[in-house]
Amino acid sequence: MRLWHEALLSDLPRAQLLGQHRECCALRGNSWGKPHATVDYVFDYSPIQLYRYHRKVMDEMQRRGYQVDPLWDDPCYRGKNCAPYREREIEKRTTNVSDPVYPEHDETYLYECIENLRAKGAEIRPK
């Protein structure tokens, strides 16, 4: 599981973009807080941060003409098998409102993602 650097979202191949949506859905739901080496940093922040990142993924999907279940537009929604957040649960924990959403998505991480995509056969140019 990986959250691609958000500067690459508009360049992701279809499979990676749709996979990113599924991973965001899983992380927002029952996978929240479950250790995973590649995305553990996400759990250091409020769930609203993941929603903000997921929103960028969903916006790119919609830009390309893909349908996204409108239930995911609600920052409190966590999927069909997970109780939603109460608004005050995520508002009180809102921290970083920077761009990119996660400070870990720095230039080093950008190039790591580009190399990972190239290894998968995707042609991605550094921004």
Side-chain angles (χ1 to χ4, degrees):
M1 190 177 288
R2 163 185 303 279
L3 293 184
W4 298 107
H5 192 290
E6 66 189 65
L8 297 175
L9 294 177
S10 63
D11 296 322
L12 286 178
R14 177 183 187 277
Q16 278 75 19
L17 181 64
L18 299 179
Q20 190 72 136
H21 173 60
R22 286 190 303 275
E23 290 175 5
C24 287
C25 292
L27 283 169
R28 284 180 62 185
N30 288 323
S31 292
W32 180 259
K34 292 188 179 169
H36 191 288
T38 310
V39 294
D40 271 355
Y41 64 89
V42 171
F43 309 129
D44 292 337
Y45 301 94
S46 166
I48 199 71
Q49 295 298 103
L50 180 58
Y51 168 77
R52 288 181 59 235
Y53 178 86
H54 191 198
R55 178 77 264 155
K56 291 181 180 203
V57 171
M58 292 186 291
D59 289 347
E60 178 59 26
M61 289 174 64
Q62 290 170 329
R63 188 187 72 74
R64 294 189 196 184
Y66 301 121
Q67 299 294 318
V68 178
D69 188 331
L71 291 171
W72 290 108
D73 291 338
D74 179 355
C76 295
Y77 184 68
R78 300 185 69 201
K80 294 177 179 145
N81 299 315
C82 197
Y85 289 113
R86 293 176 300 216
E87 276 192 43
R88 65 179 177 269
E89 262 184 313
I90 60 173
E91 286 177 1
K92 73 179 184 180
R93 293 185 55 207
T94 300
T95 52
N96 176 14
V97 288
S98 67
D99 206 15
V101 172
Y102 293 106
E104 289 80 2
H105 290 202
D106 57 14
E107 190 170 323
T108 301
Y109 187 68
L110 172 63
Y111 285 98
E112 181 182 319
C113 289
I114 290 170
E115 290 307 312
N116 187 299
L117 286 164
R118 283 183 179 152
K120 296 177 186 322
E123 285 300 317
I124 302 290
R125 288 181 288 286
K127 304 263 176 197

